[in-house]
Amino acid sequence: VQLVESGGGLVQPGGTLRLSCAASGIIFDIDAMRWYRQAPGKQRELVAVITSAGNTNYADFVKGRFTISRDNAKNTVYLEMGSLKPDDTAVYYCNADVRSRRFQSYTSWWGQGTQVSVSS
């Protein structure tokens, strides 16, 4: 299984970005999908999570600004980021709990990360 993020880049404060993360490989189904971020010198932190049923939860520092969504047919999770602040600068990673076969347990997979920089 491979997770590939895209959509990062440089944006001005107040701007928007949309991140995508597509899972590929031998996939029977995907349970929760998450976005994390890690700023230089800081620990990786959870940004948002979405369950297979579409239930979502957000870190307080992004509530009202970011929206997580997923397309189960495409095995893809998205993160719409708005009202971006310099403090949002970080490498953003997607994470997914994937089952490759029906009676297997779920395994957690990570993407390689995509850089988001917010600066004027």
Side-chain angles (χ1 to χ4, degrees), residues 5-26:
E5 299 105 334
S6 60
L10 175 63
V11 63
Q12 292 187 340
T16 61
L17 274 179
R18 187 192 197 211
L19 305 183
S20 300
C21 173
S24 62
I26 300 175

Side-chain angles (χ1 to χ4, degrees), residues 40-78:
K42 295 187 177 181
Q43 289 189 333
R44 191 172 296 189
E45 58 187 359
L46 179 64
V47 175
V49 58
I50 184 167
T51 68
S52 56
N55 298 312
T56 60
N57 202 9
Y58 298 90
D60 286 344
F61 52 78
V62 302
K63 279 183 180 177
R65 301 189 298 122
F66 291 10
T67 301
I68 189 171
S69 61
R70 64 191 284 173
D71 184 333
N72 291 330
K74 295 181 179 179
N75 292 328
T76 299
V77 62
Y78 305 96

Side-chain angles (χ1 to χ4, degrees), residues 93-115:
Y93 298 89
C94 71
N95 166 260
D97 298 332
V98 180
R99 188 167 54 168
S100 292
R101 290 178 176 81
R102 182 175 181 178
F103 297 109
Q104 285 185 340
S105 58
Y106 288 95
T107 299
S108 182
W109 295 88
W110 290 87
Q112 81 289 349
T114 185
Q115 177 70 46

Side-chain angles (χ1 to χ4, degrees), residues 73-95:
K74 295 181 179 179
N75 292 328
T76 299
V77 62
Y78 305 96
L79 187 67
E80 299 273 359
M81 304 186 294
S83 301
L84 283 162
K85 307 173 183 179
D87 285 350
D88 294 317
T89 295
V91 178
Y92 283 72
Y93 298 89
C94 71
N95 166 260

